[in-house]
Amino acid sequence: MTTPTIDLPGPIFAKLAPHPYQLRALSRGARTNGRATQEPRALSINASPLSHAHGSALVRLGDTTVLCGVRGELLPVEQIPQFRPLGGEEEYLEGEYGGAGGIGRGELRDYDLLVPNIELATGSAPQFLPGVPPTALAQTLSTRVYSLLHAAGLVKAGDLRVWYRPGEGKKQEDGGMEGVEQEVAEEDRVVAYWVLYIDLLFLSYDGNPFDAAWAAVVAALRDTKLPVTRWDPDREMVVCSRAEERKLNIKGLPVACSAAVFMEKEQSEAVTVAGDGRNWILLDPDRLEETLCKEMITIVVDCSDGETRIKSLEKQGGTVLGRELIRGFVGVAEERWAEVQMAMK
Amino acid sequence: MDRRRINGPAGATQPPVFDDVVSQGAKTVSGRSRMPDASRKMYLKTGVTPSASGSAYLEMETSAKPGASGLKLSCSVHGPRALPRSAPFSPHIVLSTHIKYAPFATKQRRGYLRDPSERDLGIHLEAALRGAIIADRWPKSGVDIIISIVEGDQDRETSKSQGEEAWDMMNALAGCITVAAAALADAGIDCVDTVAGGVAALVQDGGADSTPTIVVDPIPSDHAKILAACCIAYLPTRDEVTNLWFRGDLPASDMDLYTHLVEKGILASRNANCVLTNCLMETIE
Amino acid sequence: MTTTAPTLAIPGQLLGPATRYQPGPGTHLHEAQLYSSLLGQVHTTAAARAPGPVKRLTKITPAPVPAELPTISVMPSSSAMASGGFQGDEGEGRSGGAKKREVLPEVGNVVLARVVRITPRQAVVVICVCGDTVLEAEWQGVIRVQDVRATEKDRVKVYESFRPGDIVRAEVISLGDQANYYLSTARNELGVVSAMSEAGNTMTPVSWKEFRDPETGVTELRKVAKPQ
């Protein structure tokens, strides 16, 4: 056993030799933070804490706190370099086969309508001070949220389209002005798109940023209401109604569930043979545990249809998590899904 | 173009334009519902960021007007810690302050890079705190004070059209000073006193010919016109002003008016100090 | 002004006149009165000052008072439970419980440090524990080759005394330059207290200059701290 040769009080032992300290705790059946290996921290979700955003959520996962604000801005189609106009037929098709694989997915990605960014440099932890470019972790997290947003198909492109329907207004306004009839009847067309800026600010960081950030994104999108729009042909611009707003139709409830693998041997380079030494899978790792573990797994599941769908599976480093363990981990993720669903309400 | 962030579409996006924008041009004055010497209610709490050496959260009462939100500030203090190896020897603690509006803090989305007004706020905060910290207790060390303005005071859009950003910034600064003082105390960094921020303004509520009055903790939308304002950082036991920021237009002949304004600014900061003191006492009782 | 000192104090709070108390840590002197400079509990200790650097001794211009006066000090309370942000909703308690206030290493303090790199002239370390206080910040220190041992100083080789990763018990001998504290291990009870072998095993000390890997049996040279 790797115990230091001197007898040290707990906190000093923890500081000098965090790995052996964690190992000793795990051998006795609990982590140094007092949790069981498969025990996540309590999660709380507050919807609409912000008043200037179109949708927002505050998520607290233990001592990790993240705030998400969703704001819509308009992108006129003239501003889109490779814009392909949509016909009325295509709109119909999207309604029919929408969601995963539908045409809508193409628009979201091609026109880059979802813009998530994660800011850690708020002093959320000692290693995240402002005044420097985003850290590698912040960039990775933003990219992961970005990919998952597109992959999970949460947002429907149809919700972000701004239509001009010349037919609608005219019918009421002028019953029979002959001169107008001469003009070529204009077809319904998309004049602009809503771009959703999804900004995430970590107020406090204590590990497992992805699970917290993703829960905040989903909660904030579910909270998002965009103003009802119309095209003003005289001013040639999109005008929003202050009185009327419409909720986004968010599809499903994908929940991220992360864990880290703690190895008995600290120097994994020397010991790469699987099965050598014990290991523990730590669900919802905190800041200290993240630094002690080299292997991480994140699984995103959605059980809202009654059956479990795996939306994403990411694993970094290590060789412990094989097929069997990952299969077992899906069960853990299902339990987490139910807890997050409760917190969303 | 910032390659380290996700920038969104290449084309420029526009914030929504509302159909009632024309009528909004005329400023609607809601009128002040508080007494001239009364500050808004403030909520303050320490220890919100456990991984920091010290932290605090401040929230100003949300005004009754829908759409206008109160100030929400989150402050974390890191240190005392070792200075970067490149830094020269310092016999005292080196203070570094950083104030940033969150992208969703205001009506218009804010960028991730600090703009000049945010840098300005940081400099004022540094001056306000420098007078309170006993810097030579911590040689060779540095302390970082970081404030995220989670939500700005006021309706930013109204402010822009009225050119009243400066007044909003003063309110924000006053809050920043108070929340930073709480976080510093939480971090256990020696201070001579608890510094708190307060704002007083000279306002003209009825027409151009009416007599201006002085109010504390002004909300720009409450008043037809703000002539001048000052933000004061004040140490109550020392009876000392560590930072004074004045903006506006006062006749030089009328020094009394200026002195009055500063006195009311001190009163506003005393109001804030009561909240600060109560909050700190609660944490140790 | 005959009131007794308060039991709790916030920065700037009056503790009493300088004619009655001596200023201790967490206090400051202003116009012949003593004030708190921290948030915490007020302690008064009788005249005889506690020996040894229990906590950081604060450098205060000594007040011209007789030495018999009790010392008044303010100790930060183990921080109250955190529960964060947004008014009115329930937060989680601060895990890990009491948070200790940061202290600065001072001359004479015995510290525990981790060796980060070695050169022929010195070992660069990060100070982790000062006295019995675990430090949050990473203060850098150096053990120069002439400060490793008390005897035969000219025969000391840094690489035969320390290796990166070792935990060393050392004494602060100078505040040093802008970046480093200067440390010394030139006493029997100072030196390496914990070391890993090249094979990655924790070793046990076998003599004043050697550790042994219990698995491989290989010994490595170190400046070994005499077990206490």
Side-chain angles (χ1 to χ4, degrees):
Chain A
M1 271 297 292
T2 48
T3 4
T5 47
I6 45 169
D7 227 12
L8 295 170
I12 295 180
F13 185 13
K15 169 80 181 183
L16 291 175
H19 191 277
Y21 188 66
Q22 180 73 261
L23 183 61
R24 190 178 69 175
L26 286 171
S27 309
R28 293 172 183 171
R31 308 195 227 172
T32 47
N33 53 31
R35 286 190 272 150
T37 51
Q38 308 265 297
E39 182 186 349
R41 293 169 289 182
L43 177 84
S44 76
I45 299 173
N46 264 40
S48 295
L50 299 173
S51 48
H52 294 316
H54 290 122
S56 57
L58 176 80
V59 167
R60 206 176 274 130
L61 178 63
D63 281 341
T64 293
T65 309
V66 60
L67 188 56
C68 178
V70 175
R71 171 148 21 206
E73 289 201 2
L74 288 158
L75 177 70
V77 291
E78 310 88 73
Q79 294 279 351
I80 304 174
Q82 262 111 38
F83 176 65
R84 292 168 282 107
L86 275 179
E89 203 179 328
E90 281 175 283
E91 187 201 0
Y92 170 74
L93 278 174
E94 204 257 337
E96 192 96 307
Y97 308 109
I103 296 163
R105 292 272 298 286
E107 282 167 274
L108 290 178
R109 205 184 268 280
D110 293 351
Y111 306 152
D112 228 348
L113 303 180
L114 305 174
V115 194
N117 272 293
I118 286 177
E119 182 66 284
L120 290 169
T122 57
S124 58
Q127 69 267 40
F128 303 127
L129 294 188
V132 290
T135 53
L137 177 64
Q139 293 178 55
T140 313
L141 287 172
S142 298
T143 312
R144 286 174 69 191
V145 168
Y146 178 88
S147 321
L148 187 54
L149 266 174
H150 285 291
L154 267 185
V155 182
K156 281 190 186 158
D159 281 350
L160 303 184
R161 291 184 198 131
V162 176
W163 286 90
Y164 173 42
R165 303 181 201 273
E168 277 181 5
K170 277 203 184 104
K171 275 171 207 151
Q172 301 151 357
E173 278 171 28
D174 35 24
M177 273 181 71
E178 268 107 86
V180 182
E181 297 294 312
Q182 300 294 327
E183 284 175 27
V184 182
E186 277 189 279
E187 275 187 18
D188 289 1
R189 60 190 167 96
V190 173
V191 288
Y193 285 94
W194 282 105
V195 173
L196 297 181
Y197 289 96
I198 303 166
D199 294 299
L200 290 137
L201 201 70
F202 274 84
L203 298 178
S204 177
Y205 182 91
D206 189 24
N208 200 2
F210 187 76
D211 289 7
W214 180 252
V217 167
V218 175
L221 284 172
R222 286 160 71 104
D223 177 56
T224 300
K225 297 175 206 77
L226 292 174
V228 170
T229 51
R230 67 180 172 82
W231 174 256
D232 185 334
D234 303 327
R235 288 197 281 170
E236 295 208 320
M237 63 186 291
V238 177
V239 181
C240 303
S241 157
R242 207 177 275 283
E244 264 187 290
E245 44 186 28
R246 196 174 289 141
K247 261 189 117 99
L248 290 182
N249 294 299
I250 299 302
K251 197 173 161 288
L253 177 63
V255 167
C257 179
S258 298
V261 181
F262 182 84
M263 305 285 288
E264 179 168 11
K265 292 270 182 177
E266 194 170 357
Q267 279 149 335
S268 61
E269 265 86 328
V271 200
T272 42
V273 191
D276 189 358
R278 293 172 293 168
N279 60 68
W280 291 263
I281 296 171
L282 310 179
L283 189 63
D284 182 21
D286 65 21
R287 191 160 60 108
L288 175 70
E289 288 167 345
E290 280 181 346
T291 62
L292 299 176
C293 299
K294 288 196 177 67
E295 188 170 357
M296 303 278 281
I297 184 170
T298 298
I299 187 164
V300 180
V301 296
D302 191 344
C303 314
S304 40
D305 294 340
E307 57 166 344
T308 305
R309 292 187 164 274
I310 297 173
K311 293 284 184 179
S312 152
L313 183 88
E314 290 178 56
K315 194 181 99 63
Q316 292 118 37
T319 53
V320 173
L321 287 166
R323 211 171 287 174
E324 283 308 306
L325 280 172
I326 289 175
R327 200 164 295 157
F329 191 57
V330 173
V332 176
E334 283 169 344
E335 277 175 42
R336 194 62 178 152
W337 185 88
E339 287 163 16
V340 174
Q341 193 207 21
M342 286 299 291
M344 287 270 177
K345 281 174 181 167
Chain B
M1 170 110 167
D2 189 347
R3 294 202 173 276
R4 296 191 186 90
R5 294 198 166 87
I6 293 172
N7 295 292
T13 59
Q14 297 150 3
V17 174
F18 291 96
D19 43 13
D20 59 352
V21 75
V22 187
S23 62
Q24 213 201 347
K27 184 175 175 180
T28 48
V29 179
S30 49
R32 188 179 164 100
S33 53
R34 282 171 287 139
M35 298 297 284
D37 284 354
S39 300
R40 279 172 292 167
K41 272 214 186 82
M42 193 196 289
Y43 167 83
L44 187 63
K45 184 177 189 61
T46 58
V48 295
T49 308
S51 45
S53 316
S55 58
Y57 174 80
L58 180 147
E59 195 168 312
M60 291 293 269
E61 186 185 48
T62 310
S63 63
K65 192 176 144 207
S69 79
L71 194 64
K72 293 190 179 82
L73 304 173
S74 171
C75 176
S76 64
V77 170
H78 292 274
R81 50 204 246 147
L83 286 170
R85 214 170 308 157
S86 54
F89 176 79
S90 168
H92 51 74
I93 199 163
V94 177
L95 207 60
S96 97
T97 52
H98 193 103
I99 298 180
K100 181 79 193 79
Y101 277 89
F104 39 68
T106 50
K107 276 266 151 96
Q108 305 283 317
R109 182 172 180 265
R110 287 253 178 175
Y112 278 98
L113 297 173
R114 272 198 302 171
D115 67 14
S117 70
E118 289 166 326
R119 288 175 190 278
D120 230 27
L121 283 174
I123 290 164
H124 281 292
L125 177 66
E126 205 248 309
L129 299 178
R130 202 172 343 122
I133 290 179
I134 309 178
D136 53 5
R137 293 268 161 108
W138 303 94
K140 306 208 306 178
S141 6
V143 61
D144 292 273
I145 297 142
I146 304 132
I147 297 180
S148 300
I149 304 184
V150 169
E151 200 146 62
D153 212 349
Q154 285 307 305
D155 185 312
R156 170 73 46 172
E157 207 164 56
T158 319
S159 289
K160 260 222 167 102
S161 62
Q162 308 296 323
E164 281 170 354
E165 271 175 316
W167 316 133
D168 285 351
M169 267 177 73
M170 283 195 172
N171 279 339
L173 177 64
C176 286
I177 293 166
T178 311
V179 78
L184 281 171
D186 187 43
I189 291 173
D190 307 64
C191 290
V192 294
D193 202 349
T194 46
V195 63
V199 180
L202 184 71
V203 298
Q204 205 166 30
D205 278 340
D209 303 323
S210 60
T211 323
T213 51
I214 297 176
V215 296
V216 308
D217 190 17
I219 300 179
S221 58
D222 277 355
H223 305 286
K225 193 167 171 53
I226 295 183
L227 301 172
C230 71
C231 175
I232 301 248
Y234 178 73
L235 305 174
T237 15
R238 286 283 179 103
D239 187 25
E240 194 179 309
V241 171
T242 59
N243 188 53
L244 187 156
W245 184 22
F246 174 87
R247 216 140 159 185
D249 196 8
L250 282 191
S253 55
D254 200 349
M255 274 313 283
D256 277 358
L257 200 57
Y258 175 80
T259 323
H260 262 103
L261 194 60
V262 171
E263 273 169 10
K264 290 293 183 185
I266 290 175
L267 177 72
S269 119
R270 277 185 184 279
N271 290 346
N273 206 283
C274 287
V275 180
L276 175 58
T277 310
N278 287 336
C279 162
L280 294 181
M281 284 310 285
E282 265 173 37
T283 64
I284 49 173
E285 264 162 16
Chain C
M1 294 289 274
T2 49
T3 50
T4 52
T7 54
L8 300 169
I10 65 167
Q13 192 165 327
L14 181 66
L15 299 175
T19 49
R20 188 179 306 157
Y21 302 107
Q22 287 197 78
T27 68
H28 65 280
L29 184 67
H30 180 65
E31 288 173 356
Q33 299 283 339
L34 286 170
Y35 296 88
S36 170
S37 57
L38 293 175
L39 174 68
Q41 269 106 21
V42 180
H43 295 273
T44 38
T45 44
R49 269 200 267 162
V54 186
K55 275 269 145 58
R56 181 176 63 90
L57 293 175
T58 341
K59 280 172 286 313
I60 296 155
T61 35
V65 289
E68 305 95 65
L69 290 177
T71 302
I72 193 160
S73 57
V74 179
M75 299 287 182
S77 49
S78 51
S79 269
M81 292 299 275
S83 83
F86 292 81
Q87 193 167 8
D89 74 8
E90 289 296 310
E92 287 303 302
R94 173 176 283 169
S95 56
K99 187 175 74 168
K100 269 195 172 164
R101 177 171 173 260
E102 190 70 2
V103 300
L104 282 187
E106 297 228 342
V107 173
N109 286 173
V110 171
V111 300
L112 288 170
R114 179 184 290 108
V115 178
V116 287
R117 62 179 180 275
I118 55 172
T119 71
R121 297 162 55 87
Q122 62 190 30
V124 179
V125 303
V126 165
I127 302 170
C128 301
V129 178
C130 180
D132 54 2
T133 310
V134 176
L135 304 181
E136 279 300 316
E138 303 215 314
W139 305 98
Q140 189 172 290
V142 295
I143 306 168
R144 298 170 300 175
V145 66
Q146 64 266 38
D147 298 324
V148 174
R149 276 206 316 244
T151 53
E152 294 185 286
K153 288 185 179 191
D154 49 340
R155 292 177 56 188
V156 173
K157 295 205 167 46
V158 174
Y159 68 88
E160 287 177 351
S161 310
F162 310 110
R163 288 294 164 92
D166 289 357
I167 304 296
V168 175
R169 187 188 295 125
E171 185 185 335
V172 180
I173 53 171
S174 152
L175 290 190
D177 54 23
Q178 75 274 19
N180 298 303
Y181 286 87
Y182 285 6
L183 308 178
S184 164
T185 54
R187 257 160 49 195
N188 278 347
E189 67 275 21
L190 302 178
V192 177
V193 293
S194 170
M196 292 271 245
S197 70
E198 283 183 10
N201 300 311
T202 302
M203 299 190 289
T204 46
V206 287
S207 74
W208 62 276
K209 60 171 188 175
E210 273 177 326
F211 272 91
R212 184 191 287 130
D213 183 329
E215 280 183 37
T216 62
V218 177
T219 58
E220 293 183 21
L221 291 170
R222 293 291 197 280
K223 160 59 171 110
V224 182
K226 189 179 161 198
Q228 285 177 323

